[in-house]
Amino acid sequence: MNATGTVNKLVGHPDSYYAASANPAPVYPQLEGTVEADVCVIGAGYTGLSSALHLAERGYKVVVLEAERVGWGASGRNGGHVGVGQRRGQEDLEKMLGLDTAKQLWDMSVEAVHLVEDLINKHSIQCDLKRGIMHLAAKRSHNAHLQEEVELLRDRYGYEQMRYADEDEARTLVGSERYFGAQVDSGSLHLHPLNFALGLAGAAAAAGVDFYEHSRVTKYRGGSPCLVETANGQVKAKNIVLACNGYLGNLEPRMAGKIMPINNFVLATEPLSESLAKELIANDYALQDTLFVIDYWKLSGDNRLIFGGGENYTSRFPQDIRNFVRKYMLRVYPQLADTRIEFGWGGTLAITLNRMPHLGRLEPNVYYSQGYSGHGVPTATFAGKLIAEVVAGTEERFDILAQIPTPSFPGGTLLRWPGLVAGMLYYSLKDKLGG
Ligand SMILES: Cc1cc2nc3c(=O)[nH]c(=O)nc-3n(C[C@H](O)[C@H](O)[C@H](O)COP(=O)(O)OP(=O)(O)OC[C@H]3O[C@@H](n4cnc5c(N)ncnc54)[C@H](O)[C@@H]3O)c2cc1C
């Protein structure tokens, strides 16, 4: 089904800076009646959109069902950092999985960042793409690890695009007294996440993918064919891709116990003067600190500070998100005390216990990928490409990730929260303590 042709960039998205600065996008119809497809993708974030695009490019007839709007989930709300590496550090991965697998995972992570850049260039996606991420030592004791990691990545993985900056240099790059050193990584990227998602959807639609919005899947069954149901329609498909991540809910209990949905919050200031923007981030990189509950920030295309900080583990967002996040921002930049905060929003992401993505097959023709643990801009986009590979019969790369064991959260879907909340509170307390 083609778009109805109406251009509507705001309705149905949360009130975020990203929605307010979104590129024009079509409104897609609701699913009604029965349609048939080679692949039915459930969820239109990066996982679903990239799967759909790569499958359509391989000649498959693809239908995407989205409960809300394209890019409505975490993919339209995140910090926009596109970092190399997995969410878990290489040293940990070597211990967990051995050097060979750790190297494959590193190479895939670099490929994932290149994939994002290539897609943006190939499909002329306007999404404020900029180069560079810095990791800032929030405690003096974190410096040694940052430095050693730069050396490890250079010496064992051949990654030359990251260097270490000492405290003096870090403070010239970031207008804040808070940090003790930095990794300066010119191989990573940052972007406007919703416009990246809308651009992927546009490319997929141009490749023949049929989108349906406001079409929540209420249940599905595998088999031959698979049957996917919404309130007013159904899709008969040869394959299914589950791409719901933090918004999965109860749709598939076999996946739900492997992830924990958590909420994270972001603000956008008013546009800053050129000189203030330069004072805050001299090189226009995206920044993130080394705390367990990280602060992350960057400048938007129109020089606003986009700052993410703070999370919660309930089903509700704080009532006043702007002020909730502002206190984290002022810890870093007290000089912004009089700067107006124009937007505040939250989103839900999915984490796994080992912080590695969880992907695989539930049945021979039912695929899923989720649980990117805050690293999904490159990883979900790349997972979509791997899903297209495996549907087409090439399993090797998909299986490298699928074979990493994903432990279930203790307590299953009902009781996983108390354990997580206790764990998160413990680590956020450690963030607050010195050392
Ligand atoms: C505030 C925040 C900041 C973040 N910052 C970063 C960052 O800087 N860098 C980074 O790499 N990662 C970041 N992340 C994580 C990243 O955004 C996610 O990992 C990534 O967007 C996941 O993409 P996805 O397609 O798997 O899921 P989503 O984008 O969440 O999409 C899932 C979609 O599935 C739909 N859906 C759910 N159930 C159904 C159903 N039953 N029927 C139909 N549709 C359904 C939802 O409506 C939703 O649109 C952040 C996340 C948040 C929330």
Side-chain angles (χ1 to χ4, degrees):
M1 174 63 65
N2 287 326
T4 55
T6 325
V7 169
N8 184 345
K9 57 183 183 178
L10 278 178
V11 174
H13 279 275
D15 181 20
S16 71
Y17 161 70
Y18 299 136
S21 55
N23 295 329
V27 175
Y28 292 100
Q30 249 186 328
L31 179 69
E32 282 177 16
T34 302
V35 300
E36 295 190 7
D38 295 321
V39 187
C40 177
V41 174
I42 306 173
Y46 304 135
T47 305
L49 294 168
S50 171
S51 302
L53 171 60
H54 287 104
L55 284 161
E57 283 176 343
R58 286 171 177 267
Y60 290 94
K61 180 172 165 26
V62 184
V63 165
V64 177
L65 301 178
E66 165 54 48
E68 305 287 342
R69 304 285 318 270
V70 166
W72 175 90
S75 300
R77 310 176 189 213
N78 64 68
H81 296 207
V82 192
V84 294
Q86 302 290 339
R87 179 67 176 79
R88 199 76 187 256
Q90 288 305 124
E91 225 180 335
D92 283 357
L93 292 176
E94 288 176 14
K95 284 186 202 130
M96 271 168 67
L97 303 163
L99 182 59
D100 287 350
T101 307
K103 281 193 164 161
Q104 287 172 319
L105 292 170
W106 171 261
D107 290 345
M108 285 190 186
S109 84
V110 175
E111 186 184 335
V113 173
H114 291 160
L115 174 67
V116 169
E117 188 170 19
D118 290 349
L119 288 167
I120 290 168
N121 291 333
K122 180 173 173 191
H123 300 291
S124 305
I125 300 173
Q126 301 301 314
C127 60
D128 301 332
L129 181 66
K130 299 183 199 175
R131 188 154 290 283
I133 291 183
M134 288 197 283
H135 297 260
L136 302 167
K139 296 181 181 181
R140 202 173 286 286
S141 61
H142 295 175
N143 252 341
H145 173 71
L146 291 188
Q147 219 165 341
E148 282 159 18
E149 198 175 50
V150 169
E151 288 160 19
L152 177 91
L153 292 177
R154 187 191 57 220
D155 299 342
R156 209 174 291 167
Y157 293 85
Y159 188 66
E160 304 270 357
Q161 286 164 282
M162 191 186 282
R163 67 183 181 83
Y164 175 75
D166 66 15
E167 182 171 342
D168 287 346
E169 189 187 354
R171 288 183 182 181
T172 64
L173 293 171
V174 188
S176 173
E177 303 282 290
R178 204 170 145 78
Y179 302 105
F180 300 97
Q183 288 174 337
V184 183
D185 173 19
S186 63
S188 292
L189 307 168
H190 61 103
L191 48 66
H192 183 305
L194 178 57
N195 280 338
F196 177 52
L198 296 175
L200 287 180
V209 173
D210 289 338
F211 282 94
Y212 296 91
E213 297 185 310
H214 298 120
S215 301
R216 178 175 298 280
V217 172
T218 49
K219 63 177 175 185
Y220 80 94
R221 66 160 170 75
S224 186
C226 309
L227 191 66
V228 183
E229 294 184 39
T230 65
N232 299 317
Q234 60 177 12
V235 180
K236 288 184 181 163
K238 295 183 186 134
N239 302 276
I240 293 177
V241 176
L242 284 154
C244 304
N245 203 43
Y247 298 92
L248 176 72
N250 299 322
L251 183 63
E252 179 43 86
R254 285 176 288 178
M255 288 161 61
K258 301 284 189 182
I259 51 169
M260 174 72 64
I262 64 175
N263 303 321
N264 194 276
F265 304 100
V266 189
L267 63 70
T269 66
E270 62 185 318
L272 307 177
S273 68
E274 201 59 48
S275 59
L276 180 55
K278 269 239 151 357
E279 176 194 322
L280 302 186
I281 310 178
N283 55 9
D284 207 3
Y285 276 28
L287 311 179
Q288 44 190 267
D289 69 16
T290 50
L291 293 178
F292 184 75
V293 178
I294 67 167
D295 290 336
Y296 55 94
W297 63 101
K298 63 173 188 156
L299 295 165
S300 66
D302 60 353
N303 271 351
R304 296 164 191 271
L305 191 72
I306 309 288
F307 191 98
E311 48 192 41
N312 75 13
Y313 319 109
T314 70
S315 55
R316 275 194 300 278
F317 288 180
Q319 276 205 324
D320 183 353
I321 295 178
R322 294 180 202 195
N323 272 317
F324 178 81
V325 183
R326 183 172 175 269
K327 61 181 186 286
Y328 294 96
M329 181 191 79
L330 291 180
R331 280 192 323 199
V332 178
Y333 292 128
Q335 61 269 52
L336 297 184
D338 295 329
T339 301
R340 211 170 50 244
I341 310 298
E342 293 195 343
F343 299 91
W345 66 94
T348 305
L349 61 143
I351 61 169
T352 57
L353 259 185
N354 63 6
R355 304 295 187 269
M356 290 301 288
H358 175 226
L359 73 175
R361 309 165 189 78
L362 292 170
E363 294 170 36
N365 54 353
V366 178
Y367 304 89
Y368 63 86
S369 183
Q370 61 173 4
Y372 311 103
S373 304
H375 203 69
V377 184
T379 316
T381 308
F382 186 67
K385 186 174 180 193
L386 294 185
I387 287 171
E389 286 178 13
V390 74
V391 170
T394 308
E395 310 182 326
E396 286 76 10
R397 283 155 37 104
F398 181 86
D399 281 344
I400 292 171
L401 283 163
Q403 280 162 10
I404 299 173
T406 305
S408 296
F409 277 88
T413 48
L414 282 180
L415 295 173
R416 58 195 156 155
W417 267 277
L420 177 96
V421 172
M424 292 298 193
L425 292 178
Y426 168 75
Y427 284 110
S428 66
L429 184 67
K430 272 186 78 177
D431 280 348
K432 288 183 188 111
L433 299 173

